[in-house]
Amino acid sequence: MFLSVFDMFKVGIGPSSSHTMGPMVAAARFLELMRASPFAFHGVRASLHGSLAFTGVGHATDRATILGLAGFTPDTYDAEQAEKTLAEIKVTHRIHPESLPALSFDPAQDLMFDFDTVLSGHANGMMLMATDAQGDVTLRETYYSIGGGFVLTEAELAEGKATDEGPPIPFPFKTAAQMLEMSEASGRTIAEMKRSNETARGGVDNLKTGTKRLWQVMNDCIERGLTTDGILPGGLSVKRRAKGIHDKLLQERGMNLTAPHTINDWMSVYAMAVNEENAAGGQVVTAPTNGAAGVLPATLRYYLDHVPGASEARIEDFLLTAAAIGGLVKYNASISGAEAGCQAEVGSAAAMAAAGLCAVLGGTPKQVENAAEIALEHHLGMTCDPVKGLVQVPCIERNGLGAIKAVSAASLSLRGDGTHLVPLDACIETMRQTGLDMSEKYKETSLGGLAVNVPNC
């Protein structure tokens, strides 16, 4: 099992990795399928199913699908050009993807939110179709956006999640138990094993430049969120709060009367800054998803700005350790809110952040595993019930609390020797089972919880 640090952390756009980035990626893949096809195409259509239908408007799934079919991708997204393209498509009912003829596409007619047809593979399903001159479908593919920007076709999903192509890696752990066994046998930390796996596939230079860029994008996102105010889009009139909180925190610096618990506000404001940017459709890094994108950057920023002796040289170790934990969660359970609720998103993010922080604070591999377990355990059962289908309430504040839990989990684990009752593997399996048992209305459909008990206008 190999999931790269660049699989777990992907540069993309808000507000959702599964509902925005995933559909855009799926559309890009469908264009490639069309380019490789011998047929002559005259138009395209799309249908959204499950959670993509129920919360698609709030998550900008329709926009992402249209832009993806027009040739946009998350990693090179240009917001200004995107708006121009959407306006043009609305008027002309045609799209112009590269290396394909102009294609007929009327958003009002050719993009359908199908609330009734359930696709069996995953809650986030979509079908993309290409048509001939008569309007008959001549090419069709089903895609599943399985969380964190990962996209699989129906056939790929059926092949199984264990499929892995590429050169062998030196430390192919699939469970936390195997990870600890390999660490003890080799005398290497989790970050060192992960680094060996990464360089076996991508090389040393790619790892260094790639992780440096990831943190740069994360930190830039924090800075934009800390300096931007206003009202978030979507109709809930949610006010950006990170800038105001941050300004007050800066004013209080150096005051003798500042309470110790104020450090929680610093952690929260870093996370909220990221998730306000995400809610506004800005550039973020999946960590492991957009909805949970603030937890890990906030924890890392807390380490760099507030922990004595912190070093930027440890950023790569932080990200590698976190990615190792995230890979275990994704492989053995889920990082998708539509599949397992918010325990799979903010819970996974907190586990990853706790592990990363514990590692750079000098924790042993056993303590790192313990930190991840503590953080995940205390998110078990958390539902995903976004008001009006927007990644705003309760998502923005929830990331702040996730960061606080991550730091607390790392601190608790460092107070012990790594010995604990509940193994991380058992906690991950419990999260998977809880997700299966959870009512669908609490899994990113906005049909239950806060979404139905808070006025949406």
Side-chain angles (χ1 to χ4, degrees):
M1 191 277 291
F2 176 75
L3 283 169
S4 172
V5 64
F6 304 115
D7 291 324
M8 298 310 303
F9 303 119
K10 293 188 282 290
V11 177
I13 56 169
S16 172
S17 51
S18 60
H19 289 60
T20 314
M21 288 175 59
M24 190 178 287
V25 169
R29 290 189 61 180
F30 189 67
L31 292 181
E32 288 300 317
L33 195 62
M34 292 175 67
R35 293 182 183 110
S37 173
F39 297 110
F41 300 112
H42 289 260
V44 287
R45 299 176 191 162
S47 62
L48 306 174
H49 302 261
S51 180
L52 293 186
F54 284 109
T55 61
V57 174
H59 286 83
T61 307
D62 47 351
R63 286 169 48 90
T65 302
I66 297 168
L67 289 171
L69 289 171
F72 285 75
T73 58
D75 56 335
T76 59
Y77 181 77
D78 184 318
E80 184 176 346
Q81 186 57 44
E83 292 304 319
K84 292 180 181 178
T85 299
L86 285 169
E88 181 181 330
I89 293 171
K90 187 176 181 180
V91 173
T92 65
H93 296 167
R94 300 187 73 77
I95 60 175
H96 302 270
E98 186 178 352
S99 302
L100 284 168
L103 298 167
S104 171
F105 183 81
D106 179 356
Q109 300 293 327
D110 296 321
L111 178 60
M112 181 173 66
F113 289 82
D114 190 336
F115 301 101
D116 300 317
T117 305
V118 178
L119 302 182
S120 60
H122 190 278
N124 293 332
M126 62 189 298
M127 287 193 290
L128 298 176
M129 296 152 276
T131 59
D132 60 16
Q134 288 73 45
D136 295 326
V137 175
T138 54
L139 183 66
R140 183 195 310 264
E141 185 61 88
T142 299
Y143 295 94
Y144 293 104
S145 180
I146 62 173
F150 291 89
V151 173
L152 296 175
T153 65
E154 192 166 39
E156 289 168 345
L157 192 68
E159 287 175 3
K161 60 185 177 182
T163 303
D164 178 30
E165 298 177 359
I169 55 175
F171 300 101
F173 51 84
K174 297 181 180 180
T175 66
Q178 291 177 353
M179 179 181 71
L180 292 178
E181 289 169 4
M182 291 181 186
S183 175
E184 185 173 0
S186 66
R188 299 192 183 196
T189 66
I190 294 169
E192 287 169 344
M193 292 192 299
K194 185 67 175 167
R195 183 176 290 108
S196 294
N197 288 347
E198 294 287 340
T199 55
R201 292 286 176 95
V204 175
D205 291 340
N206 179 63
L207 178 63
K208 289 190 176 300
T209 58
T211 52
K212 183 177 180 180
R213 182 185 181 229
L214 287 175
W215 172 240
Q216 185 66 58
V217 175
M218 288 179 181
N219 200 41
D220 287 348
C221 186
I222 292 175
E223 289 302 320
R224 288 196 307 274
L226 294 178
T227 55
T228 306
D229 54 18
I231 304 298
L232 293 172
L236 285 181
S237 298
V238 172
K239 183 181 179 180
R240 284 182 180 250
R241 297 162 58 199
K243 182 181 184 301
I245 295 172
H246 185 243
D247 289 346
K248 289 180 180 179
L249 287 170
L250 290 176
Q251 292 171 7
E252 295 170 3
R253 267 188 165 171
M255 294 176 60
N256 293 330
L257 297 178
T258 301
H261 65 251
T262 300
I263 191 60
N264 290 333
D265 298 340
W266 282 99
M267 288 183 266
S268 291
V269 80
Y270 295 145
M272 291 170 66
V274 172
N275 285 86
E276 287 176 356
E277 280 295 294
N278 178 63
Q283 187 181 59
V284 298
V285 176
T286 63
T289 66
N290 281 30
V295 176
L296 189 140
T299 306
L300 184 46
R301 180 70 176 260
Y302 159 77
Y303 163 72
L304 291 171
D305 285 8
H306 301 274
V307 175
S311 170
E312 290 189 0
R314 302 303 307 278
I315 291 174
E316 186 174 285
D317 282 349
F318 188 110
L319 294 176
L320 287 170
T321 304
I325 300 301
L328 293 177
V329 176
K330 184 183 185 305
Y331 181 77
N332 293 295
S334 175
I335 57 170
S336 167
E339 191 172 27
C342 198
Q343 59 172 355
E345 296 205 29
V346 171
S348 298
M352 294 165 65
L357 181 60
C358 184
V360 298
L361 291 178
T364 65
K366 287 184 178 180
Q367 289 172 319
V368 169
E369 185 261 359
N370 187 18
E373 189 281 326
I374 293 171
L376 182 59
E377 179 181 324
H378 298 291
H379 283 89
L380 290 176
M382 181 175 280
T383 60
C384 182
D385 52 351
V387 177
K388 203 179 178 181
L390 299 169
V391 193
Q392 297 180 17
V393 179
C395 320
I396 294 170
E397 283 184 355
R398 185 169 286 177
N399 275 256
L401 274 292
I404 291 170
K405 285 186 181 182
V407 174
S408 296
S411 184
L412 281 174
S413 68
L414 288 166
R415 295 292 182 182
D417 61 3
T419 303
H420 56 108
L421 183 63
V422 181
L424 177 58
D425 289 328
C427 192
I428 292 173
E429 173 58 18
T430 301
M431 191 261 275
R432 186 191 70 82
Q433 293 174 6
T434 303
L436 289 174
D437 293 339
M438 189 179 290
S439 169
E440 292 299 316
K441 67 182 181 180
Y442 297 121
K443 295 194 282 190
E444 211 166 356
T445 59
S446 290
L447 297 176
L450 289 175
V452 300
N453 288 301
V454 176
N456 290 347
C457 59

